Amino acid sequence: MAYPTDRPATWFVTGTSRGLGLDLVRQLLERGDAVTATTRSTERLLAALGDDVDTSRLLPLTVDLRDEEQVSAAVQKTTERFGGLDVVVNNAGYGYLAAVEETGDRDVRDMLDVQVVGVWNVLRAALPVLRAQRSGHIVNVSSVLGLTAVPGWALYCAGKFALEGLSEALAAEVAGFGVDVTIVEPGYFRTDFLTRDSLALPQTTTEHYPAIRDMVAQHLELQGKQLGDPVKGAAAVIDRVVSGEGPLRQLLGSDSHAYATAKVRALQDNLDAMAATAPATDHPAAA
């Protein structure tokens, strides 16, 4: 993608009323770019931005990302208001902390509806625009827990692992149209992700997973002490898009890099251990 230099860029960002999404919107508006910001509450978004931010180039929309028609209408309103679309940021999401056994059917469907189906709805609506103009950038905000899994985060990891696979395939599909894809993998950022507003918990628990109960308590206590700075995180995402340079995956935070490095080492050990036995299931080589 050639990021526009002769005009303000138009961004479509989901999940914008708090956290990384809110900081993205604030910084983009300060740059003079145009932003469509989808959220479950435009009132909360506007209150969070306050009076110090020029919102004349902001299109705030209340959108249920699970609703394909609402998402398509939001993209259409974006192109009508700003005359085009340059960057899509799929950022909406929430945490869920529970054992697999404690995770209900509704919990699973709700999480995947947001983290997978919602993203797919945005992509289906936005890709025809980007493909036709043969330029654009899609940023899918995953997590380092889209690369590695830890106990208690199974449902969240399931959604982010799915997003990683979707994004890898998408990057290869759209490269020929001049559309770039970035997967953002933050570690723990000092947002309200670990508050009860953003971290869902199971309706019922079992006494068989005391370590996960301890983990929940520790995570709630971690709120406000996370290593990552969301202002710097948002700036890094913007820099990646504006420069048009960088690998597929953008890790944010030293903790993210450490988790990912440990996963790569464990995977390499696994591959080495299977190197001799993996070919045993092959058909015999043709003579």
Side-chain angles (χ1 to χ4, degrees):
M1 168 198 176
Y3 189 81
T5 57
D6 58 340
R7 59 173 174 79
T10 297
W11 295 62
F12 185 99
V13 186
T14 71
T16 57
S17 62
R18 54 167 65 103
L20 183 66
L22 175 61
D23 280 303
L24 272 172
V25 171
R26 181 180 289 113
Q27 293 183 36
L28 290 171
L29 293 175
E30 290 172 349
R31 283 174 48 87
D33 287 341
V35 183
T36 292
T38 78
T39 175
R40 289 176 296 174
S41 171
T42 55
E43 293 81 6
R44 186 169 59 205
L45 167 61
L46 294 173
L49 289 173
D51 298 327
D52 297 332
V53 178
D54 180 1
T55 57
S56 61
R57 298 189 64 81
L58 173 67
L59 177 60
L61 296 175
T62 300
V63 177
D64 183 347
L65 298 175
R66 300 168 299 178
D67 188 318
E68 187 174 11
E69 292 184 0
Q70 288 190 33
V71 173
S72 295
V75 171
Q76 183 175 352
K77 289 176 182 176
T78 300
T79 58
E80 290 173 350
R81 167 76 179 273
F82 300 120
L85 177 61
D86 299 298
V87 186
V88 174
V89 182
N90 286 301
N91 174 67
Y94 61 95
Y96 185 93
L97 189 47
V100 169
E101 185 180 343
E102 299 168 335
T103 305
D105 177 77
R106 187 71 262 165
D107 299 322
V108 174
R109 295 176 186 276
D110 287 346
M111 174 66 74
L112 298 184
D113 274 351
V114 172
Q115 294 200 153
V116 182
V117 177
V119 170
W120 229 301
N121 285 340
V122 171
L123 293 174
R124 274 196 300 267
L127 280 171
V129 178
L130 304 183
R131 175 170 45 76
Q133 69 193 20
R134 303 192 74 82
S135 67
H137 201 134
I138 295 167
V139 178
N140 288 339
V141 180
S142 179
S143 165
V144 70
L145 294 185
L147 289 176
T148 190
V150 295
W153 288 97
L155 178 54
Y156 182 75
C157 290
K160 293 303 187 184
F161 269 60
L163 181 60
E164 296 269 340
L166 160 62
S167 301
E168 281 194 30
L170 175 68
E173 291 175 0
V174 300
F177 300 116
V179 178
D180 199 3
V181 175
T182 299
I183 308 171
V184 178
E185 294 160 343
Y188 286 105
F189 269 72
R190 202 168 297 178
T191 65
D192 61 357
F193 182 76
L194 296 181
T195 67
R196 293 186 182 274
D197 288 334
S198 299
L199 182 64
L201 300 173
Q203 291 185 349
T204 59
T205 61
T206 168
E207 63 182 9
H208 301 295
Y209 299 97
I212 293 179
R213 302 289 82 75
D214 291 341
M215 179 184 289
V216 171
Q218 291 165 6
H219 277 71
L220 293 174
E221 291 174 2
L222 181 62
Q223 176 59 32
K225 306 181 187 71
Q226 299 97 320
L227 187 61
D229 182 340
V231 175
K232 293 180 180 178
V237 172
I238 294 170
D239 287 346
R240 167 68 180 89
V241 173
V242 172
S243 70
E245 298 178 354
L248 173 64
R249 288 180 164 81
Q250 182 181 28
L251 280 82
L252 299 180
S254 57
D255 52 349
S256 176
H257 192 273
Y259 272 111
T261 300
K263 175 57 180 284
V264 170
R265 289 171 178 164
L267 183 57
Q268 186 61 60
D269 289 344
N270 196 145
L271 292 172
D272 292 343
M274 294 290 101
T277 59
T281 55
D282 294 349
H283 281 290

